[in-house]
Amino acid sequence: MTALRNTSVAPLSNAAPFAIRAERASDVVAREALLDACFGDNRHTRTCQRLRDGRAPAEGLGLSAVAEGRLVGTVRLWHVSVGGVPALMLGPLAVDDSCRSLGLGAALMEHALAVAKAHGHGAVILLGDAPYYARFGFSADKTGELSLPGPFERDRLLGLELRQGALDGAWGMIAATGASAPKAKASRAKKALQVVPHAA
């Protein structure tokens, strides 16, 4: 896993180097365009978005990947309660098409999980493709009794314990518990997005 203090990630194959760092206010427009390009304009209507709306990511767990001064990847983790058990929900994870073969998605995942563990979090859950996320230790072993506030595919609800037993007995509805997003920043971000056309 990537060292917590060293936010640089070594170049992979013959690719240009990229760095993973805490997201900045200046990343908002590029991050939103990247998410639109990866997930489509309907991403705001998806079930997991209901757990993020109006919330700020967990402290230190909004991450950006940058290559040659350009944002090329993003991942964020959010505070949730999984049937009364505190956890983090990961998502969305997005990588620019030009960097898909560089291992950037894996680097973002490993870095985010390392930071979450160092901050003392016990578990991470997500909604995603089991074959991809299994390499990081995610499985549906302890998520069978959990629900989301909207439609979802049961086999895509995955969990990872950063501390053994952290998801033992977890059941019920997953609910957002994180701090509210600062309204001033959210308003500025919305205005900024209105002047930038959405990516195709």
Side-chain angles (χ1 to χ4, degrees), residues 95-137:
V95 174
D96 188 271
D97 280 341
S98 65
C99 299
R100 290 270 167 91
S101 62
L102 305 182
L104 179 51
L108 278 165
M109 280 295 298
E110 290 174 354
H111 190 89
L113 295 175
V115 173
K117 187 170 186 176
H119 285 188
H121 297 288
V124 178
I125 59 169
L126 58 80
L127 198 61
D129 296 326
Y132 178 82
Y133 290 105
R135 74 180 86 172
F136 306 105

Side-chain angles (χ1 to χ4, degrees), residues 19-20 33 35 45 69 77 91 108-109 114-115 138 146-147 153 156 196:
I20 297 173
L35 292 173
T45 66
L77 288 90
L108 278 165
M109 280 295 298
V115 173
F138 284 88
L146 297 172
S147 299
E153 296 172 53
R156 291 171 54 84
V196 176

Side-chain angles (χ1 to χ4, degrees), residues 175-188:
T177 59
S180 296
K183 291 188 188 286
K185 289 182 181 178
S187 175
R188 282 197 303 269

